[in-house]
Amino acid sequence: MSNSTPSENVFDLVLLGEIEAMLEKLLPAAAGQVEGLNRIGQAMRYSALAGGKRLRPYLLVRSADLFDVPRTQAIRTGCALEFIHCYSLIHDDLPAMDDSDLRRGKATSHKAYGEATAILAGDGLLTDAFALLADPKTHEQAQIRIILIAELAKAAGSGGMVGGQMMDILAENGEAVDHDISLLQSLKTGALISYACRAGGYLGDAPATSIAQLENYAQCLGLAFQITDDLLDVTSSAELAGKPVQQDMHMNKSTFVDLLGVAGARAKASALVAQGKEALSDFGPKAAPLSKLADFVLHRQV
Ligand code: GRG
């Protein structure tokens, strides 16, 4: 029996199309009167419309479905999160960081547009994400918009993804004395995944117990996602992954595969996914799409 879960059986293609269409609509124009504005629009579109899996916005919409949140609100919030994710990939690929030439099967932003434009494209995506959440079209209640903004800032900022990236850089340079790979990954990769799962609850004004259950699911999923990322770095090809592989070893990154071996890492990811699915049990059959996504994370090939 194949142990892969084809993404077409997991992701609703109509919903993915709606997310893609909203991203396209919300990104700045690339063909207006002002050359500088066209250039930043082109660079932001080049990276953000480059065909990622859209796992984070998809998770966000599926968590929002648990609370019957209107689709437009969930998709707009998911697009803000995807803007942040795309900015982080552009900056992570820069020469000062991972110095990568390939992302999502295409030349990275700085290779296509130069470093200065790539930095600005990342800055544009980061900043525009918050303008998008502050817009009443995202939610009619200002108090909910403030929660969405504050929680995304926490997840993406110095106590979240940016802090995790800093830990990663110190560890790579051999400068970290207190190296904790689980904390590093829970910040670098897990914080945005956690936001994806909780934001549906914020949009639906869900009780704290439901948010805590989604957070438990997200913690397991985020760690499993990172473990499968480490496994793919060892087992996949650049052609399939759309980005260079075997990078962790070259960059002296310590990974879950180093720590546990390939079989141990697979077993750990599998246990985490089972635990994550268990955390959804109170939501009943409505949580089936989130459960399927957990299986996808375990068996993904990209
Ligand atoms: C530069 C502030 C800053 C942060 C960078 C996200 C990140 C932090 C670095 C990316 C390096 C990396 C490979 C992390 C592992 C997990 C991860 C985020 C993988 C990419 O996410 P996917 O697989 O990508 O969801 P797509 O292209 O499908 O959106």
Side-chain angles (χ1 to χ4, degrees), residues 36-98:
L37 298 185
N38 289 343
R39 175 87 169 172
I40 193 68
Q42 282 157 17
M44 287 164 71
R45 287 173 165 272
Y46 174 83
S47 292
L49 300 176
K53 292 184 287 300
R54 312 306 189 198
L55 177 68
R56 293 156 192 79
Y58 196 89
L59 266 172
L60 197 151
V61 173
R62 288 316 198 182
S63 77
D65 284 350
L66 297 174
F67 311 100
D68 301 316
V69 171
R71 267 291 156 84
T72 309
Q73 295 183 353
I75 294 178
R76 285 177 64 90
T77 310
C79 287
L81 178 58
E82 186 70 10
F83 277 18
I84 301 268
H85 170 60
C86 293
Y87 122 72
S88 79
L89 298 179
I90 295 173
H91 282 195
D92 187 61
D93 290 333
L94 286 168
M97 296 212 193
D98 271 7

Side-chain angles (χ1 to χ4, degrees), residues 51-56 82 85 87-89 91-92 97-98 103-104 156 161-162 165 185 188-189 225-226 229 243 253 300 302:
K53 292 184 287 300
R54 312 306 189 198
L55 177 68
R56 293 156 192 79
E82 186 70 10
H85 170 60
Y87 122 72
S88 79
L89 298 179
H91 282 195
D92 187 61
M97 296 212 193
D98 271 7
R103 169 70 65 184
R104 293 173 166 172
M161 180 180 70
V162 167
Q165 178 78 348
Q185 299 304 352
K188 188 177 111 169
T189 312
F225 183 85
Q226 184 59 52
D229 208 70
K243 61 181 181 181
K253 291 194 191 214
R300 72 197 180 100
V302 284

Side-chain angles (χ1 to χ4, degrees), residues 26-302:
L26 294 171
L27 283 160
Q33 304 287 318
V34 183
E35 208 174 311
L37 298 185
N38 289 343
R39 175 87 169 172
I40 193 68
Q42 282 157 17
M44 287 164 71
R45 287 173 165 272
Y46 174 83
S47 292
L49 300 176
K53 292 184 287 300
R54 312 306 189 198
L55 177 68
R56 293 156 192 79
Y58 196 89
L59 266 172
L60 197 151
V61 173
R62 288 316 198 182
S63 77
D65 284 350
L66 297 174
F67 311 100
D68 301 316
V69 171
R71 267 291 156 84
T72 309
Q73 295 183 353
I75 294 178
R76 285 177 64 90
T77 310
C79 287
L81 178 58
E82 186 70 10
F83 277 18
I84 301 268
H85 170 60
C86 293
Y87 122 72
S88 79
L89 298 179
I90 295 173
H91 282 195
D92 187 61
D93 290 333
L94 286 168
M97 296 212 193
D98 271 7
D99 194 12
S100 288
D101 295 353
L102 193 68
R103 169 70 65 184
R104 293 173 166 172
K106 300 201 320 187
T108 45
S109 180
H110 64 277
K111 282 282 157 193
Y113 288 94
E115 264 185 72
T117 303
I119 292 168
L120 290 175
D123 292 342
L125 287 162
L126 167 61
T127 315
D128 288 1
F130 291 100
L132 173 47
L133 292 184
D135 188 322
K137 283 195 220 102
T138 300
H139 200 286
E140 64 284 1
Q141 290 180 38
Q143 209 179 332
I144 292 204
R145 298 199 301 274
I146 288 170
I147 295 173
L148 292 172
I149 291 167
E151 291 297 324
L152 185 57
K154 274 193 248 168
S158 56
M161 180 180 70
V162 167
Q165 178 78 348
M166 189 76 252
M167 286 177 74
D168 203 15
I169 290 170
L170 286 190
E172 239 170 79
N173 296 345
E175 289 176 48
V177 283
D178 53 355
H179 186 52
D180 176 344
I181 184 173
S182 294
L183 176 64
L184 186 166
Q185 299 304 352
S186 76
L187 298 178
K188 188 177 111 169
T189 312
L192 291 195
I193 291 181
S194 163
Y195 181 83
C197 299
R198 285 179 287 122
Y202 299 138
L203 282 163
D205 206 8
T209 46
S210 299
I211 304 276
Q213 285 160 345
L214 287 168
E215 173 64 9
N216 285 343
Y217 163 77
Q219 287 295 331
C220 297
L221 192 76
L223 202 49
F225 183 85
Q226 184 59 52
I227 294 174
T228 52
D229 208 70
D230 292 350
L231 281 163
L232 287 173
D233 190 64
V234 177
T235 57
S236 190
S237 65
E239 200 183 353
L240 199 60
K243 61 181 181 181
V245 292
Q246 316 244 312
Q247 287 295 93
D248 296 337
M249 191 177 60
H250 289 142
M251 299 197 70
N252 200 25
K253 291 194 191 214
S254 67
T255 71
F256 285 100
V257 175
D258 294 333
L259 213 61
L260 307 169
V262 168
R266 285 213 170 101
K268 174 86 180 162
S270 177
L272 282 164
V273 161
Q275 198 185 326
K277 284 163 48 171
E278 185 58 37
L280 297 172
S281 58
D282 279 0
F283 297 113
K286 264 189 147 177
L290 289 175
S291 209
K292 266 190 181 181
L293 276 166
D295 287 325
F296 165 76
V297 162
L298 185 60
H299 298 302
R300 72 197 180 100
Q301 303 295 326
V302 284

